[in-house]
Every structure is written in C-alpha cells, then in structure tokens.
Amino acid sequence: MNVKHLQDEILKLKSQNDVIILAHYYQPIEIQEIADFLGDSLKLSRTAKEASTEYIIFAGVDFMAETASILNQDKHVLIPNPESCCPMAAFLTPEKVLEFKKNFPKTPTVVYVNSTATVKAESDICCTSANAVNIVKKISKEFEVNKVLFGPDANLGDYAEQFSKIKTIKMPPEGHCYVHSQISIEDIRATKNQYPNAKVLVHPECIREVREFADFVGSTSQMYNRIKNASSDEHEFIIGTEIGLLERMSQDFPDKKYYLAKEKLICYNMKKHNLELIKYLLENLDDKFHEVKVPSEIAKKAIQPIEKMLLYS
Ligand code: 13P
Ligand code: SF4
C-alpha cells in the first residue's frame, strides 16, 4: 500500500473511533502529516492532559507516552512501536536519584521529562527543554536555595545553570542525548562557512560551545516559532536538531532554506514508528501489547512533579 493510501485509511479509521493521534516533531514526516496534534514535549504533555478521547495514540518515545498515561490514568495510551525509547532516560535510575538526594539534603530535584516514570516519582518537579531555565529559577526560589539537582541531561542542566544563575548538580555529569551531543563546534562552524547568511538554531541538549555559537537556542516548538516569526530578510537557517523538525519546517514554510547542522541528525528511536503500525493500532485499539500503562502507585507519585511543572510554566 502506498503512503497516501495508508494515510487515507488511517484518517478514515481515526474518524470512526474515539481516538486522537499525538506526534512529536521528530516523527517520520508521513506520521506528522496524519497527526491531530504535533509539538514539543511540553505542548504534547499539555495536549495529553486535555485529551477527551478514550484512546490516545502517541507517536513519540516511551517517556512521552508514559507522561500521557500518568496524566490520563483512566484512558488508554497506545504506542505504535513499544521499542521506541529514549536512551537518555537510561542515564538516571531512581536509586541514583535517592543517592544524590541523600548527599544533597534540602536541595530540590529537577527531572527532565526525558526520564522514566520511576525517576519522575522521586523528583520535586519536572521540566522540558522549553521551560528548564524558568523551572530551575522557580523551584530554587520556592526552596530558598541557590542550587538544584538536575538530570539526566547534563547539557540541558548546564544551559539552565547558565541562564538561571542557579547551580545545577548534574545527575549524572555524563547524561546526554546521542543525537544532539554529536554536533561539534567544528561541525557547526563548517556548516556556517558553507552558508554564511544562515541563522543558526540549536536545541539546548547541544554542548555549550555549540549553543554559544548559535543565534537561537530553544525547544523544537520554540525553534519552529522562531522560523514562523522570522523577518522577511531571513531566508536561510541551519538547524541543530533532529531532521524531523527540518522536514516539518520545509513543508510549513517552503519559502525558506534549511540546512542540517551536520549530516544524519537522526533519532533512530523516534523513527521506529510507521504508518502500518498506526493503522494496526486503529484496528486493534484494545491490543494490550501496545498499551503504555504506568502502575498506579508510581503514577500517583509521578503526576505531582509533572503537574507542578505544568502549573509553573
Ligand atoms: P523537545 O521538547 O524540544 O521537543 O525535545 C524533546 C527531545 O527529545 C529532544 O531530543
Ligand atoms: Fe532522546 Fe535524543 Fe531521541 Fe530526544 S533526540 S528522544 S533526547 S535520544
């Protein structure tokens, strides 16, 4: 079945069922095209919280579907490919968080949403790349301290520290995203030399040197909006994030030119979903193998830092 035909079948099945499809910007473009809502982690969490359908198909990595499940314990959250996970989350376990908390008493724990539900359950507040600076400022003020525990992304932690002026103790110092951290300063300089008039936009999961070289640092939605609101004399952009966002922007703003900061910026974990799997799910909404259900005792604890984040941002 060709892509267009599959997409039509999916749209038809979707209209016959009580379901919405949420997709992250890093999804394959043909999935982005059939989604009801597209966004960054923050927008998708908010949308999942407000969802009124019985079923939510989440085309993103596991922590995103888990967050949707935590916020909707009475709904069915389905993931097209249950093997789609974020390797960054593996840098932090609940045991490690408890050890850090023991070593740094009275210090608030900020956990990036790119983490497991059990890790979130041990935190004081969650954050996303869109609100990390603000969350660190607010939680440190609430606890009346000038430092926070922050994990698992040490680069986002460093970014939050730079702009909040609050020390972030990295849990652990080596936590990183394999997609963003591979962009080196040499890569970004070389791309800029090739396209000297292009504005450089990068994700806060990039290393500090790359972030400091960029004209703009932000979450995927913030980068999207930066381009949406670009002035008429800005025609070219170098994109320092996963290729899916570049494909989205090429479709939505085709009058601009986009260049990837380096070749092959692909999150293979995000690309594990496909249209066939989504069609299968729409035909088998009660398939338990694809359902993401966070055990209620963990969900009850993990919902608190997520809701606090949504309140604070
Ligand atoms: P955003 O929240 O910016 O979409 O980031 C999610 C992510 O996984 C980045 O790698
Ligand atoms: Fe995780 Fe990086 Fe993929 Fe985002 S791009 S889902 S942080 S591995």
Side-chain angles (χ1 to χ4, degrees):
M1 213 184 283
N2 71 26
V3 169
K4 178 78 181 73
H5 192 151
L6 258 173
Q7 286 180 319
D8 289 344
E9 293 269 295
I10 286 171
L11 294 176
K12 194 166 141 211
L13 285 163
K14 192 153 63 81
S15 68
Q16 294 162 352
N17 288 284
D18 192 19
V19 60
I20 51 164
I21 301 179
L22 308 186
H24 188 265
Y25 284 124
Y26 298 162
Q27 282 304 294
I29 194 71
E30 62 275 16
I31 292 183
Q32 295 189 31
E33 286 166 351
I34 51 87
D36 294 294
F37 295 95
L38 264 178
D40 66 358
S41 311
L42 183 61
K43 184 177 170 202
L44 292 173
S45 301
R46 283 196 194 285
T47 311
K49 185 175 152 71
E50 286 154 15
S52 57
T53 53
E54 189 181 348
Y55 296 91
I56 300 170
I57 294 181
F58 210 119
V61 281
D62 55 359
F63 77 80
M64 297 179 172
E66 275 188 358
T67 304
S69 160
I70 292 165
L71 290 167
N72 292 284
Q73 286 161 54
D74 54 336
K75 301 215 172 95
H76 300 281
V77 178
L78 305 166
I79 188 158
N81 185 339
E83 287 180 8
S84 175
C85 61
C86 169
M88 181 198 280
F91 279 101
L92 195 54
T93 61
E95 293 75 24
K96 271 193 201 165
V97 176
L98 290 173
E99 204 181 308
F100 272 98
K101 281 166 88 164
K102 206 169 131 205
N103 293 335
F104 295 91
K106 300 197 174 87
T107 309
T109 307
V110 183
V111 159
Y112 190 25
V113 284
N114 299 37
S115 56
T116 63
T118 48
V119 161
K120 288 184 178 78
E122 298 303 337
S123 71
D124 293 300
I125 193 161
C126 288
C127 75
T128 72
S129 59
N131 61 21
V133 174
N134 213 11
I135 293 290
V136 166
K137 276 187 193 165
K138 287 194 172 160
I139 198 76
S140 57
K141 197 168 171 201
E142 183 189 313
F143 277 62
E144 297 179 345
V145 290
N146 58 4
K147 61 178 188 291
V148 301
L149 293 168
F150 192 105
D153 188 16
N155 290 314
L156 181 66
D158 180 50
Y159 175 71
E161 177 172 302
Q162 259 188 305
F163 290 93
S164 66
K165 307 273 185 286
I166 300 294
K167 183 167 178 47
T168 60
I169 300 156
K170 319 295 182 297
M171 306 183 295
E174 67 277 14
H176 68 275
C177 159
Y178 73 96
V179 181
H180 293 94
S181 64
Q182 68 176 286
I183 307 171
S184 67
I185 187 68
E186 290 78 20
D187 292 325
I188 204 102
R189 277 209 186 105
T191 315
K192 179 79 178 174
N193 282 343
Q194 235 182 319
Y195 308 106
N197 297 322
K199 288 274 184 273
V200 179
L201 277 56
V202 306
H203 197 274
E205 288 176 10
C206 293
I207 61 168
R208 187 188 278 219
E209 271 180 302
V210 168
R211 295 193 314 262
E212 288 184 339
F213 184 84
D215 298 296
F216 181 85
V217 182
S219 75
T220 51
S221 285
Q222 289 168 338
M223 282 193 240
Y224 181 92
N225 287 330
R226 171 66 183 80
I227 298 212
K228 189 176 172 191
N229 301 319
S231 61
S232 54
D233 60 345
E234 293 177 324
H235 304 291
E236 296 179 279
F237 297 91
I238 293 168
I239 306 298
T241 193
E242 212 269 350
I243 191 166
L245 182 68
L246 184 149
E247 291 173 340
R248 173 81 268 121
M249 296 189 295
S250 308
Q251 279 197 354
D252 291 357
F253 313 113
D255 54 323
K256 312 272 183 209
K257 285 203 169 101
Y258 308 96
Y259 315 106
L260 217 46
K262 76 174 280 189
E263 273 187 357
K264 298 206 177 84
L265 280 180
I266 300 171
C267 176
Y268 294 100
N269 307 74
M270 282 277 186
K271 306 296 193 213
K272 287 187 177 171
H273 305 310
N274 59 47
L275 291 175
E276 282 85 358
L277 283 166
I278 292 180
K279 179 170 177 280
Y280 168 83
L281 276 188
L282 286 163
E283 290 166 338
N284 299 274
L285 286 166
D286 291 315
D287 182 330
K288 294 290 164 224
F289 179 67
H290 293 261
E291 183 159 351
V292 177
K293 190 102 205 135
V294 175
S296 68
E297 64 279 13
I298 296 166
K300 273 186 203 138
K301 281 181 84 183
I303 196 167
Q304 291 167 25
I306 300 171
E307 295 222 311
K308 188 161 186 159
M309 166 188 80
L310 294 175
L311 191 73
Y312 272 24
S313 50

